[in-house]
């Protein structure tokens, strides 16, 4: 690995030159090494290759012909056409220009071919990423099936929502791999009063699937959806969660014990619950706390947990309760 994920984030033009030249050298002279690059490295390389032009102002590279760029390119199409997965409506590209019909047809062919491979790959459940995503995906598929069975949606809508769900699954897969692929440990650890709390692939996937995609709440589900929170960076969620927990336990000095299941906080008047679970963890080869999820409280059973607790303000926007 030449550069870590955080090193390649938000580079300015001048900062991009040296890393890009190194990765391009690999692509042009040591092509076999490209497939061994981590996901964030490929993302950086192919994003920049997609913009490079020759002296005639023609694109230097056609990413659709580069096998190593397939995940990057599908993710790009996924983001572009997420609200038009039938490829039958006017759609704007990342330059905010309407995409030409000929280009859209070519994009559709690429998307559909990769999509079929993605569905097959996901259903194998091989590896940590796919096994966790498969579980979350099939929980949501049940929502679609229930809506279809109850007559809330027809077969065409059911098929479209299923396609959107698998596309969302890829978006989450790609985002989580961007963060974890270059790390030896696929988790982030915080030690509190002798206990490890880990934020792992499950934490990242579950939070995104269950609490950041309201368009996937079919059939009037009561799942709570989180508003964007300025102290949690979705692209670096495990690190953001660790920083937040450190802030929480700076206020809450009580010893952590194995019976603890949740933490409570509020932000801008909304109340939130964090669920943690003490269990055996493969990552630790032993017991520890897994950061399970967090969400804005909606159900009365969650709001009731705040009763009788003391509010501990952090600032004018945030408070902890214990």
């Amino acid at each position: 690995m030449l550069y870590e994920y955080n090193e390649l984030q938000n580079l300015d033009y001048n900062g991009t030159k040296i890393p890009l030249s190194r990765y391009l050298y690999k692509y042009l002279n040591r092509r076999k090494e490209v497939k061994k690059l981590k996901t964030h490295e490929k993302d950086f390389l192919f994003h920049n290759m997609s913009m490079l032009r020759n002296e005639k102002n023609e694109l230097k590279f056609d990413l659709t012909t580069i096998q190593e760029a397939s995940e990057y390119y599908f993710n790009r199409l996924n983001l572009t056409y997420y609200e038009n997965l039938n490829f039958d409506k006017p759609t704007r590209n990342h330059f905010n220009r309407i995409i030409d019909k000929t280009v859209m047809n070519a994009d559709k062919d690429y998307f559909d071919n990769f999509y079929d491979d993605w569905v097959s790959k996901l259903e194998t459940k091989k590896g940590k990423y796919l096994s966790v995503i498969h579980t979350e995906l099939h929980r949501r598929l049940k929502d679609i099936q229930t809506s279809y069975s109850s007559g809330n949606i027809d077969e065409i809508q059911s098929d479209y929502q299923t396609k959107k769900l698998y596309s969302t699954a890829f978006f989450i897969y790609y985002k989580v791999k961007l963060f974890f692929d270059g790390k030896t440990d696929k988790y982030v650890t915080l030690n509190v009063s002798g206990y490890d709390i880990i934020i792992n692939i499950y934490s990242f996937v579950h939070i995104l699937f269950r609490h950041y995609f309201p368009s996937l709440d079919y059939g009037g589900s009561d799942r709570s959806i989180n508003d964007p929170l300025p102290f949690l960076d979705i692209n670096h969620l495990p690190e953001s969660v660790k920083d937040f927990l450190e802030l929480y336990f700076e206020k809450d000095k009580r010893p952590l014990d194995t019976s603890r299941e949740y933490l409570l906080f509020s932000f801008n008047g909304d109340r939130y619950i964090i669920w943690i679970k003490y269990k055996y963890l493969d990552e630790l080869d032993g017991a520890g706390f897994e950061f399970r999820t967090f969400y804005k409280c909606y159900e009365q059973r969650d709001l009731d947990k705040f009763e009788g607790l003391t509010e501990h303000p952090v600032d004018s926007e945030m408070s902890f309760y214990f």
Side-chain angles (χ1 to χ4, degrees):
M1 183 169 63
L2 297 179
Y3 297 89
E4 295 182 357
Y5 180 43
N6 290 344
E7 291 181 289
L8 296 177
Q9 297 294 296
N10 302 317
L11 291 173
D12 60 20
Y13 176 75
N14 289 327
T16 298
K17 288 181 179 179
I18 293 177
L20 180 56
S21 66
R22 295 183 70 186
Y23 285 118
L24 279 174
Y25 179 84
K26 276 186 178 292
Y27 178 80
L28 296 171
N29 300 284
R30 298 178 180 175
R31 182 68 178 271
K32 290 182 180 180
E33 296 181 12
V34 173
K35 67 179 181 181
K36 297 179 182 179
L37 294 176
K38 301 303 181 182
T39 300
H40 68 275
E41 295 180 292
K42 292 179 185 176
D43 186 85
F44 173 82
L45 170 61
F46 296 126
H47 170 71
N48 283 283
M49 284 174 63
S50 72
M51 298 183 291
L52 292 176
R53 293 179 176 272
N54 59 24
E55 61 279 357
K56 296 180 180 179
N57 202 33
E58 300 168 333
L59 289 173
K60 280 189 174 183
F61 301 99
D62 179 3
L63 297 190
T64 66
T65 66
I66 302 173
Q67 194 279 329
E68 299 92 335
S70 59
E71 285 196 350
Y72 165 80
Y73 198 73
F74 181 75
N75 187 62
R76 177 167 154 175
L77 294 180
N78 205 10
L79 294 172
T80 301
Y81 293 100
Y82 187 69
E83 298 300 335
N84 180 26
L85 294 181
N86 285 335
F87 292 78
D88 57 359
K89 298 184 296 187
T91 301
R92 294 184 180 275
N93 61 20
H94 54 288
F95 296 113
N96 201 33
R97 298 170 185 157
I98 294 292
I99 298 172
D100 179 80
K101 186 63 176 177
T102 301
V103 174
M104 185 181 291
N105 288 337
D107 287 347
K108 182 180 186 303
D109 289 341
Y110 190 99
F111 185 97
D112 289 345
N113 287 332
F114 189 99
Y115 174 86
D116 290 341
D117 290 341
W118 162 242
V119 171
S120 298
K121 179 178 179 178
L122 181 52
E123 291 305 318
T124 68
K125 298 182 283 186
K126 290 182 179 179
K128 187 66 172 178
Y129 298 106
L130 296 184
S131 62
V132 173
I133 290 172
H134 183 274
T135 299
E136 296 296 333
L137 171 83
H138 279 264
R139 285 175 180 163
R140 288 301 185 94
L141 283 175
K142 290 180 181 178
D143 293 342
I144 300 175
Q145 293 162 359
T146 299
S147 292
Y148 176 63
S149 299
S150 61
N152 291 332
I153 58 176
D154 60 26
E155 185 174 0
I156 293 175
Q157 291 171 316
S158 175
D159 290 344
Y160 185 82
Q161 297 291 18
T162 297
K163 188 173 186 179
K164 195 164 191 177
L165 186 57
Y166 274 97
S167 298
T168 300
F170 183 85
F171 170 81
I172 293 172
Y173 164 80
Y174 193 78
K175 184 172 289 293
V176 174
K177 273 188 71 180
L178 278 174
F179 180 83
F180 276 123
D181 195 28
K183 301 181 184 300
T184 302
D185 295 329
K186 309 303 184 193
Y187 59 93
V188 172
T189 308
L190 174 68
N191 188 274
V192 178
S193 60
Y195 292 103
D196 285 329
I197 302 176
I198 71 165
I199 306 99
N200 56 13
I201 291 172
Y202 170 84
S203 311
F204 205 159
V205 169
H206 181 83
I207 290 167
L208 290 183
F209 243 123
R210 302 283 283 189
H211 304 299
Y212 276 93
F213 288 95
S215 63
L216 300 180
D217 274 354
Y218 306 109
S221 165
D222 64 357
R223 295 191 188 95
S224 299
I225 301 301
N226 294 329
D227 296 324
L229 297 171
F231 49 87
L232 290 179
D233 179 357
I234 292 303
N235 293 316
H236 301 83
L237 186 66
E239 291 173 348
S240 289
V241 167
K242 179 182 177 180
D243 292 343
F244 180 79
L245 291 178
E246 286 178 338
L247 180 62
Y248 182 93
F249 287 109
E250 283 177 7
K251 285 281 187 180
D252 185 356
K253 300 294 187 180
R254 296 173 300 161
L256 187 63
D257 64 78
T258 57
S259 63
R260 195 79 171 270
E261 293 184 329
Y262 57 84
L263 315 173
L264 302 170
F265 72 96
S266 65
F267 184 76
N268 282 342
D270 293 321
R271 294 188 167 189
Y272 291 81
I273 186 167
I274 290 171
W275 289 95
I276 56 177
K277 185 174 183 179
Y278 187 77
K279 56 181 288 192
Y280 178 86
L281 294 164
D282 291 335
E283 293 92 339
L284 301 178
D285 194 23
F289 283 92
E290 182 177 56
F291 187 96
R292 304 289 286 178
T293 194
F294 82 97
Y295 53 82
K296 183 162 58 177
C297 294
Y298 174 80
E299 293 290 330
Q300 191 60 47
R301 62 176 179 266
D302 290 332
L303 293 169
D304 287 344
K305 291 178 171 59
F306 287 81
E307 294 299 320
L309 300 183
T310 301
E311 180 180 1
H312 299 268
V314 178
D315 52 36
S316 61
E317 297 176 311
M318 184 190 298
S319 292
F320 300 139
Y321 293 80
F322 48 88

